Amino acid sequence: MTEKLFERALGRLDEAAQHMEVGAETLERLRHPTAVLAVSIPLRMDDGRLEIFDGYRVQHSDLLGPCKGGLRYHPDVCLEELKALALWMSCKCALMDLPYGGAKGGVAVDPKSLSKMELERLSRGFIRRIADFIGPAADIPAPDVYTNARIMGWMMDEYSQVVRQRTPAAFTGKPVALGGSLGRRGATGYGGYVCIRELAKRRDWVAEETTVAVQGFGNVGQEAARLLYENGYRVVAVSDSGGGVHDESGLDVPRLIRAKNEHGQVKSLYCEHSVGDEKNGEHISNAQLLELDVDVLVPAALEDVINADNAGQIKATTVIELANGPTTIEADRILDERGVTIIPDILANAGGVTVSYYEWVQNRSGEYWEERDVLARLDKRMCDQFNVVMDIAADKSLSPRMAAYGLVLKRIGAAVEAMGTAALFDGD
């Protein structure tokens, strides 16, 4: 499926263009990444061996501003996937009305196989290879899969040494001590919670009567589940790569978070007496979680988990996509026909890039904000853009996904038109 991921991502835009007035040049621009960089990174291992790792950076668009997007470490990193992710970042930034285009990058490596010193050397070596292509006004990387604040700190420090000046605005998602923003770590989950909260207002949901299942219990899924739990929602199931737990009466989310972070698996709370003994909980698989009879399903892990094979068995009436691309185009159509509301990934998980933007602004101004101020700004922007999308969807009888992509095309199209298209030059 990965080899077609970029074309599938473009398919969303093509479908949205059928419902909006979009210039042909806008779509053509979005079909072609601005730049694609491939590098090799020689790494001296702790035992003296030399290994070479492949690294990539895809800059999809700079029509609205410098490129922005994560760097991931994963054995399966490839250009096709990164092109799709970079396109989604372009869409996400346009949707949130941020002065950014999209980018994505990574290194094909299993970071768990490296020592901490090897990981630092790899991170610094990667930045030396791509330093000429990134920077605060060109392309600003951030954490992604299997990278974190510490790695961003190493990368920022290495970039600063290359350019001979301290440059915290070249990276976001850094440790707070190195110029990172308060509120960044939980921003993606917080943004997803805001979407659920605003949708609840439109649907007159009662929190205590609304059931939620969360697939994926990393940083993003944990934060969303925590906020929902604290605000009265009944979180009845969560899962990670090892499986999940389900309790129809509601899970103790804070205890699950502790179990996950201390023992590495959410099921430990229900399976290990040293952590807890919840008699009503049952162990379930990730596949079973997706098909539970709940009000809200939150896929917060991998792409394509909701597909043509299981879309017909999804019982949730609302899906909040905190993962990137968790629903295939085929599944999207099936769920739409069944009346399931999907809040798309480019909206639901945009909290992370929004606070990355705030971090960049703070770095460039030298003025740093309290966490409550960061979250207040995030809350307002997520709330505003969510309601713009939902109003467009209602006005044009579109799904929220098509409304979101239509708004993306409108905003990027305005930039394309401002520079002049064939209509401007025709006849000159």
Side-chain angles (χ1 to χ4, degrees), residues 131-362:
D132 290 341
F133 298 88
I134 63 174
D139 180 358
I140 307 103
D144 201 83
V145 175
Y146 292 133
T147 58
N148 55 29
R150 186 185 300 277
I151 290 173
M152 292 303 109
W154 290 335
M155 290 180 170
M156 184 275 290
D157 180 66
E158 189 65 27
Y159 179 83
S160 295
Q161 292 185 46
V162 171
V163 301
R164 300 294 190 267
Q165 56 181 302
R166 192 69 168 174
T167 316
F171 293 83
T172 60
K174 305 178 298 294
V176 172
L178 297 178
S181 177
L182 296 170
R184 172 63 181 86
R185 185 177 184 277
T188 304
Y190 187 97
Y193 162 71
V194 170
C195 290
I196 295 173
R197 185 194 70 199
E198 293 304 304
L199 186 61
K201 293 177 184 178
R202 290 173 173 260
R203 301 287 174 85
D204 294 325
W205 288 346
V206 177
E208 292 76 13
E209 298 174 0
T210 305
T211 55
V212 183
V214 180
Q215 189 207 45
F217 210 58
N219 176 43
V220 174
Q222 285 183 24
E223 183 66 9
R226 182 186 70 80
L227 289 165
L228 290 166
Y229 175 86
E230 290 178 355
N231 285 275
Y233 288 84
R234 185 149 48 101
V235 181
V236 300
V238 302
S239 67
D240 57 17
S241 59
V245 289
H246 173 226
D247 187 339
E248 193 58 36
S249 65
L251 297 169
D252 186 335
V253 172
R255 293 180 68 193
L256 274 171
I257 292 174
R258 288 196 298 272
K260 167 69 175 180
N261 295 338
E262 292 174 8
H263 298 268
Q265 289 185 320
V266 297
K267 66 180 182 179
S268 63
L269 176 59
Y270 287 79
C271 303
E272 297 177 14
H273 295 286
S274 61
V275 180
D277 183 14
E278 297 285 340
K279 62 183 180 181
N280 295 324
E282 62 172 336
H283 176 56
I284 59 174
S285 68
N286 275 284
Q288 289 173 316
L289 181 142
L290 291 172
E291 298 176 8
L292 289 174
D293 188 2
V294 294
D295 299 306
V296 180
L297 174 62
V298 183
L302 301 174
E303 62 198 30
D304 295 347
V305 294
I306 302 176
N307 49 59
D309 294 332
N310 64 6
Q313 285 72 53
I314 300 296
K315 300 180 182 66
T317 57
T318 301
V319 176
I320 309 292
E321 295 184 332
L322 285 186
N324 286 316
T327 310
T328 66
I329 292 176
E330 296 82 2
D332 216 17
R333 291 172 181 146
I334 294 170
L335 294 176
D336 189 50
E337 289 172 359
R338 295 178 54 218
V340 176
T341 298
I342 303 175
I343 305 304
D345 48 3
I346 61 171
L347 173 60
N349 70 23
V353 70
T354 302
V355 175
S356 278
Y357 166 63
Y358 297 152
E359 180 178 336
W360 180 73
V361 169
Q362 292 171 81

